[in-house]
Amino acid sequence: MFKFFKDVSREMKKVSWPKGKELTNYTIIVISTVVFVALFFFIVDLGISQVLNLF
């Protein structure tokens, strides 16, 4: 078990972490994508509901 944590620690030192500006840009992209997808499915759901209410 100690070898595992030692290996994990060694690998984590090799990781290239994003800088503050990159992290902000990635966060904005993720949030805007989530909002876009949510709006898309909301509109699709609303359309399907309207079509089903016609019957």
Side-chain angles (χ1 to χ4, degrees):
M1 184 169 79
F2 291 112
K3 183 181 182 317
F4 171 75
F5 287 117
K6 187 176 178 181
D7 290 341
V8 169
S9 175
R10 189 178 313 132
E11 290 298 320
M12 291 302 287
K13 291 178 184 175
K14 297 178 185 178
V15 173
S16 172
W17 297 99
K19 304 294 183 229
K21 188 166 176 74
E22 290 176 326
L23 186 62
T24 302
N25 288 338
Y26 296 154
T27 303
I28 291 170
I29 290 170
V30 167
I31 290 172
S32 61
T33 302
V34 168
V35 168
F36 174 76
V37 170
L39 285 172
F40 173 77
F41 282 113
F42 173 74
I43 292 170
V44 168
D45 182 53
L46 192 62
I48 291 172
S49 296
Q50 292 298 320
V51 168
L52 290 177
N53 284 337
L54 291 174
F55 294 115

